[in-house]
Amino acid sequence: MSVVLDTAAVPSADRAEYWHEVLSRTFIPLDVSLLESAPAPATVTRHHLGALQVSLVEAGPQRVVRGAGLIAGGGEDHVTLALQHHGTVRLDQDGRQVLLGPGTFAVSDAGRPFAVELHEAFAFTAFHWPRSAMGGSGEDLRELTATVFDAADGTAALVAAYLERLSRSAGSLEPGVAGRLAATALDLLVVLAHERRGRFAPDAPEAALATLARVKDYILRHLGDPDLAPERIAAAHHVSVRYLHKLFRFEDVTVARWIQRQRLAMCRRDLARPAAARSTVAAVAGRWGFVSASHFSRSFRAAYGVSPREWQAGPVTGRAAARDGSTGAGHL
């Protein structure tokens, strides 16, 4: 179901404040300055596809900043890919400044300061997700931030075409299908980052990468099964266990480690749900395939720097501690 947030019915004098609230609620806390004396109406139309939020943003000139103070305020780190439709955007992050025009896209990481300036009316589709939902490393992510990707060029064209089609059908997808398609989108971004870093070995042909994508989709659909193991995964895809391990070496991770990362990310998401929707820590761990409560607790703390109960307690205790002292799980 789509959610539409529109400033058209808001008095012009109140639009700046309301728009600031809209963007901060839709994405992450931001400082927003409108660059027109009489703010034009602006809209956000958003959909949720599993861990991925897809939002069409249409508005007038403005400057958006995420500084160190807002970052220190807490919340899970998120990543945003903006696919530009019209208007020109200037993005500053990680010491790089780039201009984006229609038919290009760029990525920003909410865990580090950035600034966006739009000096004319614009429209873009934003794909917004928690860093924990995407495999890869922080170094991979830095290869994507504040970099212009042409939606008509090479791998970037494949990524953009997939995301555009996904956004067009976002309002009509069944939840289960939407989650699987969103996971594939995030995998495609990892492929783009790996290509950018030159990490694909000569013996990693397209067929192998396609098999890896199917394997990941299978794993995500069976995360809750405690018996999920390399032997079963390999048999389901008619490959040897040795070849399965080789596929994951393209991403510098073992099969077991990739499975654990996804399970931990799902547990962290569920434990952060509003109080009315929460289950016990043990129930959440079991739902995502952890058999041993003690093993789950140790793995969660190693990944995020706090215990599951501390994380569930909320932003003042667990999540603030995770932000300040987490070792990280090795995700984007």
Side-chain angles (χ1 to χ4, degrees), residues 220 249 262 279 283 316:
L220 291 172
R249 281 203 297 273
Q262 309 316 308
S279 302
V316 176

Side-chain angles (χ1 to χ4, degrees), residues 75-132:
E76 184 174 9
D77 286 344
H78 282 74
V79 180
T80 302
L81 182 152
L83 182 59
Q84 198 70 17
H85 301 310
H86 68 77
T88 302
V89 180
R90 189 180 79 184
L91 169 63
D92 293 88
Q93 188 168 42
D94 292 331
R96 297 190 290 270
Q97 183 181 104
V98 296
L99 289 175
L100 286 88
T104 64
F105 67 85
V107 174
S108 58
D109 177 6
R112 298 191 302 283
F114 67 80
V116 176
E117 288 191 6
L118 309 104
H119 290 282
E120 57 188 326
F122 67 89
F124 62 76
T125 300
F127 301 85
H128 184 69
W129 67 92
R131 287 180 61 175
S132 60

Side-chain angles (χ1 to χ4, degrees), residues 145-160:
T145 55
T147 299
V148 178
F149 293 94
D150 189 338
D153 183 34
T155 304
L158 295 175
V159 172

Side-chain angles (χ1 to χ4, degrees), residues 34-211:
L34 300 187
L35 303 179
E36 50 187 350
S37 55
T43 61
V44 172
T45 305
R46 71 179 187 226
H47 308 269
H48 283 278
L49 309 177
L52 185 67
Q53 176 182 283
V54 181
S55 305
L56 174 63
V57 183
E58 300 175 278
Q62 58 193 270
R63 175 177 169 81
V64 178
V65 177
R66 177 144 169 99
L70 290 178
I71 293 171
E76 184 174 9
D77 286 344
H78 282 74
V79 180
T80 302
L81 182 152
L83 182 59
Q84 198 70 17
H85 301 310
H86 68 77
T88 302
V89 180
R90 189 180 79 184
L91 169 63
D92 293 88
Q93 188 168 42
D94 292 331
R96 297 190 290 270
Q97 183 181 104
V98 296
L99 289 175
L100 286 88
T104 64
F105 67 85
V107 174
S108 58
D109 177 6
R112 298 191 302 283
F114 67 80
V116 176
E117 288 191 6
L118 309 104
H119 290 282
E120 57 188 326
F122 67 89
F124 62 76
T125 300
F127 301 85
H128 184 69
W129 67 92
R131 287 180 61 175
S132 60
M134 185 174 174
S137 69
E139 289 74 21
D140 289 333
L141 182 55
R142 286 179 186 270
E143 290 294 329
L144 297 180
T145 55
T147 299
V148 178
F149 293 94
D150 189 338
D153 183 34
T155 304
L158 295 175
V159 172
Y162 185 88
L163 291 176
E164 199 154 14
R165 293 188 67 180
L166 185 62
S167 68
R168 287 201 300 267
S169 58
S172 60
L173 295 172
E174 293 294 328
V177 173
R180 290 172 58 185
L181 294 176
T184 299
L186 298 183
D187 281 342
L188 286 173
L189 288 172
V190 173
V191 170
L192 184 62
H194 285 190
E195 179 186 72
R196 183 96 181 153
R197 297 187 70 195
R199 289 176 59 185
F200 286 132
D203 61 343
E206 291 184 5
L209 297 179
T211 301

Side-chain angles (χ1 to χ4, degrees), residues 245-258:
H245 287 301
K246 181 179 179 180
L247 289 176
F248 278 86
R249 281 203 297 273
F250 292 143
E251 298 198 359
D252 293 334
V253 68
T254 65
V255 181
R257 180 62 174 153
W258 197 85

